[in-house]
Amino acid sequence: MDIQLLETPANQIQNELIRNTEILSHPVFNTHHSETEMLRYIKRLENKDLSLTLSMIPLGSCTMKLNATSELIPLSWPEFSSIHPFAPAYQTKGYIEILDNLADYLSKITGFDACSLQPNSGAQGEYAGLMVIRAYHISRGDTHRNIALIPTSAHGTNPASAAIAGMEIVLVACDEMGNINVTDLKEKAEKHQQNLSCLMVTYPSTHGVFEESINEICDIIHSNGGKVYMDGANMNAQVGLTSPAAIGADVCHLNLHKTFAIPHGGGGPGMGPICVRADLAPFLPSNPFVKTGGENPINSISATPFGSASILLISYGYIKMLGDKGLTNATKYAILNANYLKARLESHYPILYAGKNGRVAHEFIIDIRPTKSESGIDAADIAKRLMDYGFHAPTVAFPVVGTLMIEPTESEPKEELDRFCAAMIAIRKEIQKIIDGEYTKEDNPIIQAPHTANEVCANEWKHTYSRETAAFPIGYLHDWKFWPSVGKIDNTHGDRNLICTCPPIESYA
Ligand SMILES: *Cc1c(COP(=O)(O)O)cnc(C)c1O
């Protein structure tokens, strides 16, 4: 093979395009000149982060499970990390074998027939899936089918993806138990029978419950000519036990950065492959340079043929190393852990939704609204107080405003679950002291949280509760204390008044 190297000496760049202004003038780019300095800088940043390396992150819907080192290490191997997404096929045979195997595993796990590894996130998977459904309808001459039914409990990305896919959104009501109102669904499906494209449904529901009418719901959509898009963000409660195909869905995305162990948070790269039934497979997206997808593919969804291919190795490792039995056990433990937490917390906080046997799926919602009027403490205040206790907050205000959604995942040992319960129960006692008038609504350890080291160690202490109550409210903190680096902020004020923490803008003038 005759490979020519392109040479681009500086004198080939047109004069007017050559930069002569300063570049990277922010101090951060000019302060850390040695490896020692750089290492310490990065470590200092890391220390500000309350991450999974410190304690569990009980973010409902986000599935913050272990990202095992053994799954992550191969990404650093040049055999995997130095391949260009458009490298010639003879150089990528091993990669393709892994990706093909992964696509097969994901198809088996979902019960579907084909898989596209293109979408780079759950939301992009939703968009891809909806475009595939659209192409399916169009191929049958149903060019007018453009209505997406979406329950009011849906994740915000669902209506956003439907809008971008050019669909018209019709909302479906939920009942007081958080389930889809089947009567309302039936009415709307029949009313829009002529133009129904699909339903977008999350299972188990965003309320953390295995919705019992799910089969009926899918039947209603099918009998009115629509397809069922299952939002797969909650697959951690399904893998090995049930599947999107088993409940009657036609297509789903998988958040590999939730259920399949890719680290996420802070906007890091994710992967949201979609799996489909055979009748949708011909429309899976291709790529202009590397053929992927079906015979009659929609346009590519991401720039590269397999999305962020390198991180797919993490999910491949996760599936390979756990095997059938391990994957199923992970699901069982995820559900068991959630139900254990629910059982331990339900005498302290009301649990918003449960199935008819009183069980939840892999996550559950605690309701903070009942004590809010008596104590002034809302879900966000508890989220901030948890930092003083060394925990990242659960999911705040999704899918229900004024609540916290807790998901422990299978990765947390009982000791950690118990430590989290101890923190939550201690905070509930602090709320009780406000209700009983022992603390005022204005000055109590929750409303003033989080407490920084600067504040707690300062000579002046102006609160009615002690420094120890502020920073060491529970015994385990004496062994391992996380210090929040910023005290209480006013969220709304901050959202409305953006300020730059960089050097002032004038310094660029
Ligand atoms: C996380 C999530 C999504 C979106 O996934 P991204 O990868 O963040 O785009 C969609 N639906 C639900 C229920 C989710 O939890």
Side-chain angles (χ1 to χ4, degrees):
M1 187 156 196
D2 184 21
I3 298 172
Q4 275 193 320
L5 292 178
L6 284 178
E7 285 190 22
T8 52
N11 61 13
Q12 283 188 4
I13 297 175
Q14 290 165 307
N15 268 342
E16 60 270 33
L17 295 180
I18 292 178
R19 176 195 287 273
N20 40 37
T21 52
E22 265 186 74
I23 186 173
L24 302 180
S25 56
H26 188 289
V28 79
F29 298 115
N30 302 287
T31 312
H32 315 293
H33 294 290
S34 66
E35 181 169 342
T36 313
E37 285 173 308
M38 191 67 194
L39 177 97
R40 288 179 186 148
Y41 170 64
I42 290 172
K43 182 67 190 164
R44 277 202 301 276
L45 291 180
E46 190 203 326
N47 285 351
K48 292 186 185 199
D49 188 17
L50 213 177
S51 77
L52 272 175
T53 60
L54 188 92
S55 54
M56 81 186 252
I57 299 189
L59 274 174
S61 210
C62 293
T63 310
M64 301 299 284
K65 64 169 66 183
L66 170 73
N67 314 122
T69 305
S70 53
E71 294 151 9
L72 296 170
I73 291 265
L75 270 75
S76 65
W77 298 345
E79 292 85 344
F80 290 123
S81 64
S82 299
I83 292 276
H84 190 276
F86 293 105
Y90 76 90
Q91 293 177 10
T92 58
K93 282 184 188 154
Y95 235 120
I96 297 296
E97 187 179 326
I98 290 181
L99 299 183
D100 283 349
N101 281 339
L102 177 63
D104 279 352
Y105 296 147
L106 297 179
S107 297
K108 281 206 184 75
I109 286 168
T110 53
F112 286 141
D113 303 290
C115 170
S116 166
L117 295 174
Q118 269 195 33
N120 279 300
S121 74
Q124 210 179 22
E126 292 167 21
Y127 173 70
L130 294 177
M131 292 305 277
V132 164
I133 292 175
R134 184 171 167 270
Y136 165 84
H137 287 314
I138 290 174
S139 78
R140 295 159 43 98
D142 285 344
T143 51
H144 50 283
R145 289 198 173 271
N146 76 331
I147 287 185
L149 297 183
I150 302 183
T152 51
S153 60
H155 192 265
T157 52
N158 290 188
S161 303
I164 294 181
M167 294 189 179
E168 193 185 314
I169 295 156
V170 173
L171 292 179
V172 178
C174 290
D175 65 19
E176 68 287 349
M177 287 307 294
N179 295 317
I180 292 177
N181 180 330
V182 180
T183 318
D184 190 51
L185 174 88
K186 195 153 192 273
E187 246 173 59
K188 294 198 167 135
E190 284 167 3
K191 179 169 169 216
H192 297 290
Q193 193 173 41
Q194 296 307 319
N195 298 315
L196 184 63
S197 173
C198 63
L199 166 77
M200 295 186 86
V201 62
T202 308
Y203 183 78
S205 72
T206 47
H207 295 141
V209 178
F210 287 103
E211 200 147 345
E212 294 203 7
S213 47
I214 190 69
N215 296 90
E216 187 190 349
I217 287 172
C218 295
D219 287 347
I220 292 172
I221 297 303
H222 290 145
S223 61
N224 288 288
K227 290 284 179 193
V228 176
Y229 183 96
M230 196 205 85
D231 180 327
N234 291 342
M235 272 305 283
N236 216 41
Q238 287 199 43
V239 178
L241 297 181
T242 177
S243 73
I247 62 162
D250 301 287
V251 39
C252 73
H253 74 258
L254 298 167
N255 300 72
L256 298 190
H257 47 291
K258 293 178 183 172
T259 315
F260 295 91
I262 297 177
H264 65 137
M271 277 302 292
I274 54 169
C275 296
V276 297
R277 269 188 210 282
D279 57 352
L280 294 179
F283 309 103
L284 286 176
S286 189
N287 180 278
F289 302 110
V290 180
K291 195 191 147 5
T292 61
E295 279 86 70
N296 193 5
I298 59 167
N299 287 340
S300 47
I301 288 299
S302 64
T304 62
F306 305 102
S308 306
S310 68
I311 57 173
L312 290 172
L313 299 169
I314 302 169
S315 302
Y316 178 79
Y318 175 81
I319 293 172
K320 269 293 208 212
M321 285 189 270
L322 282 178
D324 287 1
K325 193 157 171 250
L327 289 172
T328 309
N329 264 341
T331 311
K332 289 179 180 170
Y333 277 104
I335 296 173
L336 179 66
N337 282 355
N339 280 284
Y340 175 72
L341 282 186
K342 171 184 173 280
R344 285 217 50 205
L345 291 177
E346 66 192 346
S347 54
H348 305 277
Y349 295 93
I351 310 292
L352 204 49
Y353 305 114
K356 74 168 188 271
N357 299 324
R359 299 273 186 255
V360 293
H362 64 313
E363 62 189 0
F364 62 98
I365 298 172
I366 60 174
D367 197 351
I368 312 301
R369 293 168 298 185
T371 43
K372 159 96 169 121
S373 54
E374 292 171 281
S375 65
I377 297 302
D378 64 20
D381 296 321
I382 295 180
K384 292 179 185 192
R385 180 61 169 155
L386 272 169
M387 277 188 255
D388 286 335
Y389 281 83
F391 282 103
H392 193 290
T395 294
V396 178
F398 172 77
V400 182
V401 176
T403 66
L404 296 170
M405 181 153 68
I406 299 169
E407 176 181 0
T409 84
E410 72 280 9
S411 305
E412 298 303 335
K414 181 167 175 295
E415 290 68 31
E416 183 69 358
L417 300 180
D418 285 335
R419 212 167 63 87
F420 177 70
C421 288
M424 289 301 293
I425 293 167
I427 292 174
R428 181 62 187 84
K429 288 188 179 140
E430 293 174 348
I431 293 175
Q432 194 57 42
K433 286 188 181 171
I434 304 169
I435 296 173
D436 296 343
E438 221 172 295
Y439 296 135
T440 64
K441 284 190 178 177
E442 296 72 36
D443 192 41
N444 62 68
I446 307 181
I447 206 82
Q448 298 291 337
H451 298 85
T452 62
N454 281 345
E455 185 187 5
V456 172
C457 300
N459 286 335
E460 190 195 2
W461 179 256
K462 49 188 186 337
H463 299 296
T464 50
Y465 52 94
S466 72
R467 287 180 160 97
E468 185 170 17
T469 301
F472 294 92
I474 198 162
Y476 66 73
L477 292 170
H478 291 284
D479 290 330
W480 191 228
K481 171 70 183 165
F482 172 80
W483 286 104
S485 53
V486 177
K488 178 102 178 183
I489 54 163
D490 180 337
N491 296 350
T492 325
H493 181 85
D495 286 349
R496 293 194 180 141
N497 300 277
L498 291 181
I499 54 154
C500 186
T501 57
C502 312
I505 199 81
E506 293 76 34
S507 71
Y508 290 90

